[in-house]
Amino acid sequence: MKYTRITSLALLGLLLGTSACKKDFLDINTDPNNPTTADVNLVLPSGQAFVSFIVGGQYNVIGEILSQQMGIPNGGNQYRTWDQYNIPTSTFDGRQFQGLYAGALEDFQYVITQGTAQNEFRMVGIAKILKAHSFQVLTDLYGDIPYSEALMGTANLTPKYDRQQDVYAALQLLLDDAINDIKKQQGRFPGTADLNYGALNEAGMSRWIRLANTLKLRFYIHISTKDPATAAAGIKALYAANGTTNPFMLTGENYQYANTSASNSENPFYQTNFRLQNNLAVSSTIGNLMTTLNDPRRSVFFLDADLRIPTGQTTSPIDYLFVEPGQAAPYPNNYTFPGTTNAVVRLSYPGTFFIGSAFSNAGALGSTYAGITATDAAAKARPTLLLTYEESLFLRAEAAVQGWTTNEDAKALYDAAVTASLTRYGVGASAATYLASTGVNFANSASNADKLALIANQKYISFFATNGAEAWTENRRTDIPTIKSPLTNVLGPNVFVKRLPYVDSEILRNPKVADTGITPGNLTTPVWWDVK
């Protein structure tokens, strides 16, 4: 496992829309004309940018497809193999798997090592929180991963693979250390070097502590079905340690990365759709769920499938039409133009909120029909959402239903979470009506299982087009909503992807990958916490 650090500032700028500073080079990458150390406040934002680009980009896309929030439209081929469960070991090897290890995680480890020696404990604490989140993403996608022996450079090029349960336990301790480091109140405030919260003072650092506690809660909820005793004890301890003070994320404190409309610094999901237009459509799994619930977010999440105003009318009827998982050609003709017998294929793309006007449908310019304006600038600048306020409320609501919290009202938390999600997409005025409706109303749930199902459904919806990796994690954990076997499924009928395959570079260079017992290319063995 030899991770080669990206040393070209031009390349990193192209990938991330930000500059990074060289820190530590190996072998032929050593350049005597450049320094081998850098100020930690220059390295921290490099790691943050890597996380946004990778987790908000291709890991977001694969999660959206495997959780069946997105599918493949007629003529879209970029991600078709993923939709049909053909995911080879070469997938995500370079920019994603190695990008997190050799990019983000190496940056964070550098800040931790150098910052500790320099008493920069505010930035050390932040780097530990970011490290914990990055490892959580990796272990949820791949299962057992290098952790305890990772990030040692030439001292260990073949680190062992730690069991997922051990990684999760270690991440809890890492977050505890991060909180303690921040509470030392030593070192500089990162300010503009902090691309997530811009912490300029102790109030800003308190946001990081609340994020650390919210991540701890997320991690405990992730393992709660497999190991409810550890989850319960950990969550109860979180509440006990903070008394009556809310230790979790407050409104407006989303863990996110601010993108811009400037070239190569746009939202990574927008970039994906801008460069590879018409390769993603809305899956019938989430589309039918939201239609059944008459969800007001549909007008934001989904495009009108025909993108036209029928002749003789002044407004366009909304046609939400969804693609089946694993659909292959020929696609069924699912739409007939009003007043004609002309049947064609029409599907809803993700809404302009996410992809701007970067789409077309059989020549129809989606940015020009009634009610839709060119929204590229706004879509480009949408932040990369890594852990939102509404997710924190859903996590607390689930813990409250389980009886693991202190003085928390599960219904109030659930209602607030749904309202926060609707508000994010401009339809908050519909919250009261929506929350009272069938299939959404928390008060109508007689059992804890029903309440947990409502929370899972709404959390799943809230991740649409923004955090596919977490959507897929939650779907595997809860089996809610029920996903369908793809129409074309190379694994066989009713066999589902349960993990991403270990990447080629690991299989070829690190013999310890074999110690996991997972054969190369294995997609179907569940990760440790997945017992559904």
Side-chain angles (χ1 to χ4, degrees):
M1 182 192 224
K2 182 178 179 181
Y3 299 121
T4 302
R5 187 77 174 94
I6 294 176
T7 60
S8 166
L9 295 183
L11 176 58
L12 187 57
L14 176 63
L15 294 180
L16 304 175
T18 188
S19 62
C21 188
K22 298 184 177 77
K23 316 182 304 297
D24 184 49
F25 308 115
L26 305 176
D27 304 327
I28 62 171
N29 291 324
T30 300
D31 182 352
N33 297 316
N34 285 284
T36 58
T37 60
D39 194 326
V40 292
N41 71 349
L42 299 178
V43 178
L44 181 68
S46 169
Q48 291 172 311
F50 266 110
V51 170
S52 172
F53 180 77
I54 294 169
V55 180
Q58 293 298 292
Y59 278 156
N60 182 16
V61 173
I62 187 67
E64 294 285 339
I65 290 171
L66 293 178
S67 64
Q68 296 183 0
Q69 297 195 344
M70 302 285 180
I72 311 304
N74 188 29
N77 293 308
Q78 182 67 28
Y79 306 114
R80 187 172 300 280
T81 58
W82 301 356
D83 190 47
Q84 298 175 356
Y85 290 176
N86 179 9
I87 306 172
T89 54
S90 59
T91 310
F92 309 121
D93 195 353
R95 290 186 179 181
Q96 289 77 40
F97 184 86
Q98 289 206 51
L100 278 185
Y101 269 104
L105 284 166
E106 191 174 288
D107 285 340
F108 301 146
Q109 189 60 47
Y110 179 88
V111 173
I112 292 166
T113 302
Q114 294 293 112
T116 298
Q118 299 165 5
N119 292 324
E120 293 279 12
F121 283 106
R122 289 186 172 95
M123 279 185 272
V124 167
I126 290 172
K128 287 180 178 178
I129 294 168
L130 295 166
K131 178 181 175 181
H133 169 250
S134 297
F135 271 119
Q136 174 248 307
V137 172
L138 285 166
T139 191
D140 287 341
L141 293 173
Y142 295 96
D144 299 351
I145 55 171
Y147 178 78
S148 61
E149 295 181 0
L151 308 178
M152 294 183 178
T154 55
N156 190 346
L157 297 178
T158 58
K160 74 174 184 179
Y161 273 65
D162 295 277
R163 300 184 308 165
Q164 185 176 60
Q165 55 266 50
D166 297 332
V167 174
Y168 258 98
L171 296 183
Q172 291 287 358
L173 296 176
L174 181 62
L175 288 170
D176 289 338
D177 287 345
I179 293 170
N180 290 333
D181 284 337
I182 292 173
K183 287 183 176 179
K184 292 174 183 176
Q185 298 186 352
Q186 294 180 29
R188 291 168 292 172
F189 295 103
T192 56
D194 171 10
L195 300 182
N196 295 127
Y197 286 123
L200 292 165
N201 48 36
E202 292 301 342
M205 296 306 300
S206 294
R207 291 185 170 194
W208 280 105
I209 291 176
R210 287 191 288 272
L211 172 61
N213 284 325
T214 308
L215 283 169
K216 287 176 69 67
L217 181 59
R218 178 198 265 184
F219 297 176
Y220 282 129
I221 291 294
H222 278 187
I223 70 169
S224 61
T225 304
K226 174 67 177 180
D227 189 358
T230 296
I235 292 171
K236 288 177 180 179
L238 263 177
Y239 279 89
N242 290 277
T244 58
T245 302
N246 172 30
F248 305 113
M249 185 180 288
L250 304 178
T251 183
E253 292 185 352
N254 305 290
Y255 170 36
Q256 63 186 33
Y257 182 90
N259 300 296
T260 76
S261 59
S263 178
N264 294 318
S265 65
E266 306 100 325
N267 179 287
F269 187 72
Y270 171 87
Q271 290 190 53
T272 294
N273 283 276
F274 175 76
R275 295 186 172 113
L276 301 168
Q277 294 184 26
N278 308 322
N279 275 284
L280 291 170
V282 179
S283 171
S284 62
T285 300
I286 192 169
N288 292 341
L289 169 64
M290 294 181 69
T291 297
T292 299
L293 298 177
N294 195 27
D295 195 298
R297 287 167 289 193
R298 286 181 300 165
S299 61
V300 183
F301 285 12
F302 314 148
L303 279 178
D304 183 2
D306 68 332
L307 301 177
R308 67 189 292 274
I309 300 174
T311 302
Q313 298 186 24
T314 58
T315 60
S316 176
I318 302 299
D319 301 289
Y320 296 131
L321 301 174
F322 311 117
V323 66
E324 291 299 315
Q327 179 69 60
Y331 281 57
N333 292 331
N334 62 344
Y335 178 79
T336 302
F337 289 110
T340 75
T341 59
N342 183 22
V344 295
V345 179
R346 288 290 181 268
L347 294 167
S348 293
Y349 293 129
T352 57
F353 184 95
F354 307 104
I355 67 173
S357 60
F359 61 89
S360 63
N361 193 329
L365 298 177
S367 61
T368 62
Y369 81 102
I372 295 292
T373 56
T375 55
D376 276 355
K380 290 176 181 179
R382 302 286 181 207
T384 305
L385 301 178
L386 301 167
L387 198 164
T388 63
Y389 174 60
E390 50 264 40
E391 183 189 348
S392 74
L393 294 170
F394 284 127
L395 293 167
R396 291 164 62 189
E398 181 169 346
V401 170
Q402 298 284 16
W404 299 336
T405 65
T406 303
N407 299 321
E408 294 270 52
D409 183 330
K411 180 182 182 301
L413 290 165
Y414 167 85
D415 287 355
V418 174
T419 300
S421 180
L422 267 62
T423 301
R424 178 180 300 282
Y425 298 107
V427 292
S430 302
T433 300
Y434 184 61
L435 286 166
S437 64
T438 302
V440 181
N441 192 328
F442 198 82
N444 289 345
S445 300
S447 68
N448 281 354
D450 290 341
K451 293 173 183 176
L452 292 173
L454 286 183
I455 293 169
N457 260 333
Q458 289 297 323
K459 189 194 290 188
Y460 169 83
I461 294 171
S462 75
F463 288 135
F464 180 80
T466 58
N467 198 340
E470 194 65 21
W472 186 43
T473 289
E474 284 295 286
N475 184 257
R476 285 177 290 158
R477 179 178 75 88
T478 65
D479 273 356
I480 296 173
T482 301
I483 63 173
K484 309 170 186 178
S485 182
L487 296 177
T488 302
N489 184 347
V490 300
L491 300 178
N494 298 309
V495 180
F496 296 93
V497 176
K498 291 291 190 174
R499 62 166 65 237
L500 293 187
Y502 290 127
V503 298
D504 281 341
S505 60
E506 284 296 280
I507 296 169
L508 295 173
R509 301 174 191 171
N510 187 356
K512 292 178 183 175
V513 70
D515 296 340
T516 64
I518 301 296
T519 58
N522 184 310
L523 299 172
T524 59
T525 300
V527 299
W528 166 74
W529 49 250
D530 180 4
V531 295
K532 288 289 188 177

